[in-house]
Amino acid sequence: MARPREFDEQDVIAKATRLFWRRGYNATSVRDLGDELRLKQSSLYRTFNDKHTLFLRALDHYRATESTQAQEQLGAPGPSLEILREWLVWMVSHESGLGCFVVNTATELGTADPEVRQRTEAAFEVTQETLASLLRRGIRDGDLPATLDVDAAVELLFTTVLGLRVRERAGHDPQRLATAIDFTIKTLAASAI
């Protein structure tokens, strides 16, 4: 008869997420996972099959929590450009030095792993759709001009977001990141003139 698990699977996934987020996939060994999660390798394998499966679960966990948080913040009431600026500043300051787990994963593993790529692309699409929704709301509310090319603006913002996340991970000065954020907002605001 199998022994019952002596750990909470969701708690383990959350802790694994933090470890993979900090170190990356390749730099995290099964031994590192066992030490961090306080689990024997046999328990890890029995529950998650392998490191790759646990990594996918961690990536899914991150996407569920971070994407929801971003959607809530970008969907908050108020002037669209203020909401956008607040989110961008929060994004590069709330997990200082970690960057974004999805962006980190995309830069580390690129297109080599189809399951990872599907997840990173899905996360990127959610971000782009959320930004497009905010910009459309800004047009509807009169914060942005009706002539704004939403698709082009989303490409600019999404590229800015990725760059900010990489720079934040690289330890760049938060004030310089804030300068880039403010210039991006001014560029969008100037399109309203």
Side-chain angles (χ1 to χ4, degrees), residues 20-164:
F20 282 126
W21 189 0
R22 272 194 330 267
R23 299 189 65 182
Y25 179 76
N26 291 316
T28 303
S29 69
V30 173
R31 174 174 271 179
D32 295 332
L33 287 164
D35 291 347
E36 181 81 11
L37 307 175
R38 300 185 196 281
L39 291 175
K40 294 180 181 174
Q41 287 184 10
S42 60
S43 294
L44 281 171
Y45 285 119
R46 190 170 41 254
T47 305
F48 301 105
N49 297 324
D50 57 24
K51 174 180 139 179
H52 185 260
T53 301
L54 178 55
F55 181 76
L56 294 176
R57 297 273 307 270
L59 196 52
D60 289 342
H61 171 78
Y62 177 87
R63 286 177 50 220
T65 55
E66 290 291 314
S67 292
T68 299
Q69 200 166 22
Q71 286 174 315
E72 288 173 1
Q73 288 180 300
L74 290 171
S80 58
L81 293 178
E82 286 179 26
I83 297 296
L84 179 60
R85 185 188 185 283
E86 288 172 15
W87 175 69
L88 290 169
V89 169
W90 171 84
M91 182 188 67
V92 296
S93 62
H94 88 286
E95 292 289 354
S96 186
L98 288 177
C100 168
F101 185 28
V102 173
V103 174
N104 298 350
T105 297
T107 57
E108 178 184 9
L109 300 177
T111 60
D113 184 322
E115 291 176 289
V116 168
R117 182 167 188 203
Q118 180 273 326
R119 285 165 167 82
T120 58
E121 288 301 316
F124 292 159
E125 286 175 22
V126 168
T127 300
Q128 290 169 314
E129 289 167 6
T130 305
L131 289 169
S133 178
L134 177 66
L135 295 178
R136 285 189 204 97
R137 187 180 91 195
I139 292 169
R140 195 173 50 250
D141 294 348
D143 299 335
L144 295 166
T147 57
L148 178 71
D149 183 339
V150 172
D151 292 336
V154 166
E155 288 300 323
L156 170 67
L157 287 172
F158 183 64
T159 301
T160 301
V161 166
L162 295 184
L164 288 168

Side-chain angles (χ1 to χ4, degrees), residues 172-190:
H172 290 197
D173 178 14
Q175 189 55 48
R176 292 178 69 192
L177 300 182
T179 298
I181 289 167
D182 288 338
F183 188 77
T184 300
I185 298 301
K186 286 178 188 173
T187 300
L188 278 174

